[in-house]
Amino acid sequence: MSKKEQLYEGKAKKVFATEKADEVIVSYKDDATALDGLKKGTINGKGSINNRMTNFFMQMLEKQGVPTHFVEELNDRETVVKKVSIVPLEVIIRNISAGSFAKRYGVEEGIVFNDPTIEFSYKNDDLHDPLINSYHALALGLATKAEIERIKELAFKVNDLLKAYFLKLNVKLVDFKLEFGRLSDGRIVLADEISPDTCRFWDAETNEKLDKDRFRRDMGGVEDAYNEMMRRVFGD
Ligand code: TMP
Ligand code: ASP
């Protein structure tokens, strides 16, 4: 499988065409942005960590009945995935209050919810990814009712599987963001990534942050946190 022309460059990844019309190659960058792209930086080694971690979890989820876009890891930073049209919704699941939830509703971080929450943001940089509900998404034609139901079902299933998995690694899965895509036959699959960029991970004993919040909040120890998550997932 070889890279053809670049189709797209996002904040953390590039996407290339391949010789197959229904497959593309994703290339993970070390670039990091936060605060709607205002804050820019580099997290050394992030591209390779996010690539490998995402692929590990995509394969695990696929085995447990969650359809994903994963096809084949090519090398440290590059992976073949099925070509999808991305549903323009960021799907956020939360198990513990943090980040924009804590800010929006005026509560402290760290409240453990009895049941996970789900919310959607409209993926639209010009509008700064506004919070949106499923009726708005339907009204805007971003997805069908059946697609939204399927996305919710899959997102909660991913949460159940990942939450249990991370707990065994002594990590609390605080919250995370998923993206879904449509295959050419219309089926919904999990796409994008599952990494310290898109999840909040707290050490189960100390609540130490092991994710991109260290970059967002200028806490230092960013690379160490990514490496520590890598160590917990893959061993030394
Ligand atoms: P939030 O608390 O800032 O809304 O973030 C919720 C989760 O979504 C958190 O795990 C980080 C992730 N996230 C992304 O992956 N991309 C984004 O652009 C944002 C804002 C959050
Ligand atoms: N990557 C996102 C941005 O630059 C934000 C984030 O992950 O915090 O807007």
Side-chain angles (χ1 to χ4, degrees):
M1 184 67 60
S2 62
K3 276 195 296 196
K4 305 269 180 210
E5 78 274 13
Q6 184 175 309
L7 299 173
Y8 173 78
E9 177 161 10
K11 286 180 257 192
K13 297 188 278 297
K14 294 179 185 175
V15 180
F16 296 88
T18 67
E19 50 271 86
K20 286 195 185 170
D22 58 351
E23 292 182 2
V24 295
I25 291 172
V26 177
S27 179
Y28 286 74
K29 306 191 282 186
D30 284 355
D31 299 353
T33 65
L35 308 172
D36 216 14
L38 281 177
K39 186 180 167 70
K40 290 190 171 67
T42 301
I43 301 175
N44 289 317
K46 170 171 94 78
S48 142
I49 288 173
N50 289 3
N51 182 42
R52 292 185 54 204
M53 210 183 279
T54 295
N55 293 342
F56 176 81
F57 286 113
M58 290 283 177
Q59 288 173 90
M60 182 189 104
L61 292 167
E62 187 88 51
K63 274 194 210 120
Q64 305 198 63
V66 177
T68 78
H69 72 166
F70 177 81
V71 177
E72 181 194 9
E73 185 169 295
L74 285 183
N75 56 50
D76 242 24
R77 276 173 197 275
E78 295 178 330
T79 294
V80 184
V81 299
K82 292 174 195 154
K83 190 171 189 171
V84 296
S85 97
I86 288 285
V87 176
L89 294 171
E90 300 202 334
V91 181
I92 295 160
I93 297 270
R94 301 180 191 270
N95 296 305
I96 298 176
S97 66
S100 71
F101 182 98
K103 201 168 171 193
R104 180 175 304 116
Y105 302 118
V107 295
E108 73 268 32
E109 298 197 306
I111 302 166
V112 180
F113 305 144
N114 288 329
D115 293 298
T117 68
I118 190 164
E119 73 209 38
F120 301 112
S121 295
Y122 176 21
K123 249 177 90 70
N124 183 318
D125 281 339
D126 293 336
L127 299 175
H128 314 291
D129 300 342
L131 188 66
I132 189 173
N133 71 30
S134 54
Y135 293 90
H136 299 152
L138 271 176
L140 292 170
L142 306 182
T144 66
K145 217 170 197 167
E147 285 174 337
I148 292 172
E149 282 315 306
R150 180 69 173 149
I151 285 172
K152 281 190 196 163
E153 178 195 4
L154 290 173
F156 282 122
K157 182 166 182 179
V158 169
N159 185 48
D160 288 343
L161 295 167
L162 290 184
K163 201 175 129 181
Y165 192 86
F166 280 112
L167 211 50
K168 286 191 266 173
L169 307 178
N170 224 17
V171 170
K172 292 180 195 169
L173 178 61
V174 174
D175 57 30
F176 58 96
K177 185 263 298 182
L178 300 175
E179 294 185 24
F180 292 86
R182 296 178 189 100
L183 297 175
S184 51
D185 65 5
R187 265 181 309 145
I188 292 285
V189 295
L190 180 62
D192 196 51
E193 63 181 276
I194 298 171
S195 72
D197 272 23
T198 61
C199 304
R200 284 196 173 93
F201 298 128
W202 292 358
D203 178 87
E205 256 107 64
T206 64
N207 283 340
E208 184 189 355
K209 295 186 197 311
L210 298 171
D211 58 62
K212 193 179 167 192
D213 267 353
R214 304 197 75 90
F215 171 81
R216 295 188 186 99
R217 302 178 186 192
D218 294 319
M219 297 171 74
V222 183
E223 276 94 359
D224 287 348
Y226 279 68
N227 287 327
E228 175 60 18
M229 280 309 300
M230 205 52 193
R231 196 188 62 74
R232 292 202 195 186
V233 173
F234 290 102
D236 287 308

